[in-house]
Amino acid sequence: MFKGSITALITPMNEDGSLDLPSMGRFIDWQVQQGASALVPVGTTGESPTLTHDEHAKVVEYTIKSVAGRVPVIAGAGSNSTAEAVAMAQQAQQAGASGVLVVTPYYNKPTQEGVYRHFMAVADAINIPLILYNIPGRSVIDISVETMARLAQHPNIIGVKDSTANLLRPLLVRRAVKKPFNQISGEDGTAVSFLAAGGDGCISVTANVAPALCAQVQQSWNDGHVMDAMELQDRLLPLHDALFCESNPVPVKFAASVLGLMGETCRLPLAPLSDASRQKVKDALSAVGLLD
């Protein structure tokens, strides 16, 4: 089971858009030192749609090498092509990933049967844990509770990253799935509420720039200090909001650049952050206490 504050890693890039692996190595070390319980490279936040297949594999391999066993690495392995998702998942397994995160096929708009067969094909092709990634806001298709219960019968399908922001979902999934099932929030704003609904942690965008605070939220809850967790969540809320003022990961990359962690470059079609949004992100960093 993957638990706690899990960072959905941004991918550092040079001004020309090439991968900035030296910055990534430093960033990964900092994440581990600050208390991240696991790392997710090349998810949506890592700009996986605009990475080549070779770059995707390189980032996964580099992350696993840099982590050196200190925390689990859950590699993004999603595609709207089932064959491509299978190849990415197998590559991640070969590189030594602790698990894979596989998003619902986007744009194709498969039926629930198509969704089921997609994930089953990936799970059948590997021997490491697979986490379903349910984000209908980007993929259009929602993995229904019924489909999730069917998928959970596969021994390799061990959980879900839930980005529906529907706090009934973890309750319904717990009732429908007949085995221990790893439920992780994919929405920073619901991190504490999701725990209260029986969740296990959060795969977080905010943790890219506030890993220690996000880890403290999870630790406080696990230690039974509910009010402390809620107070920390209230403190982080302006940052959660600001980091989605424009398309992710543009705001969080800008925030990381302000903190001196890496450059802000994203690949097209993601445009640089507007001036108004830049000020909003800076104000949020200051409000949380990360920027003087």
Side-chain angles (χ1 to χ4, degrees):
M1 300 284 277
F2 301 107
K3 297 185 176 184
S5 180
I6 301 167
T7 307
L9 291 173
I10 47 182
T11 302
M13 294 175 183
N14 299 303
E15 289 186 6
D16 64 359
S18 60
L19 297 179
D20 181 3
L21 294 181
S23 289
M24 186 160 197
R26 292 189 294 270
F27 186 62
I28 288 168
D29 283 340
W30 181 68
Q31 284 286 326
V32 174
Q33 292 161 9
Q34 292 286 301
S37 59
L39 300 177
V40 178
V42 290
T44 307
T45 304
E47 295 177 76
S48 56
T50 57
L51 298 183
T52 67
H53 292 173
D54 286 345
E55 287 173 330
H56 189 286
K58 184 179 290 186
V59 171
V60 170
E61 291 166 3
Y62 190 85
T63 301
I64 292 167
K65 182 179 178 181
S66 298
V67 166
R70 291 175 289 176
V71 297
V73 174
I74 308 164
S79 174
N80 61 347
S81 161
T82 301
E84 193 171 83
V86 165
M88 288 178 173
Q90 289 175 328
Q91 200 166 44
Q93 176 176 297
Q94 187 174 4
S98 308
V100 290
L101 178 67
V102 182
V103 71
T104 312
Y106 41 87
Y107 191 80
N108 307 30
K109 297 183 73 172
T111 62
Q112 289 297 308
E113 182 63 23
V115 169
Y116 172 78
R117 293 186 183 203
H118 173 83
F119 285 116
M120 290 294 286
V122 181
D124 283 342
I126 57 175
N127 296 311
I128 57 175
L130 185 156
I131 297 176
L132 309 169
Y133 183 9
N134 193 25
I135 182 166
R138 282 187 182 252
S139 64
V140 181
I141 299 300
D142 183 13
I143 308 173
S144 72
V145 173
E146 293 75 19
T147 300
M148 206 167 291
R150 287 180 70 196
L151 288 167
Q153 295 176 36
H154 195 294
N156 292 341
I157 297 177
I158 59 95
V160 61
K161 176 185 177 182
D162 186 320
S163 293
T164 64
N166 177 358
L167 292 170
L168 279 175
R169 289 302 286 268
L171 300 172
L172 295 172
V173 169
R174 272 201 300 145
R175 186 171 67 181
V177 174
K178 307 303 181 185
K179 72 176 187 182
F181 199 64
N182 207 182
Q183 295 201 70
I184 306 169
S185 172
E187 297 280 350
D188 278 294
T190 69
V192 173
S193 305
F194 200 85
L195 291 170
D200 301 300
C202 182
I203 295 179
S204 168
V205 171
T206 302
N208 278 285
V209 293
L213 289 173
C214 291
Q216 286 172 32
V217 169
Q218 298 290 326
Q219 191 60 53
S220 293
W221 180 272
N222 290 335
D223 291 343
H225 302 149
V226 175
M227 293 307 298
D228 290 345
M230 292 175 67
E231 287 173 9
L232 285 165
Q233 182 74 343
D234 287 345
R235 177 180 167 187
L236 283 164
L237 189 58
L239 189 55
H240 294 331
D241 287 343
L243 294 184
F244 287 89
C245 64
E246 293 186 22
S247 297
N248 179 52
V250 179
V252 71
K253 268 198 163 178
F254 172 70
S257 74
V258 170
L259 298 178
L261 298 170
M262 65 181 69
E264 65 175 287
T265 301
C266 292
R267 287 182 178 175
L268 289 171
L270 296 177
L273 204 62
S274 68
D275 289 343
S277 293
R278 286 170 186 265
Q279 191 57 53
K280 184 172 185 177
V281 170
K282 286 181 179 178
D283 289 346
L285 290 170
S286 295
V288 173
L290 298 175
L291 187 65
D292 293 333

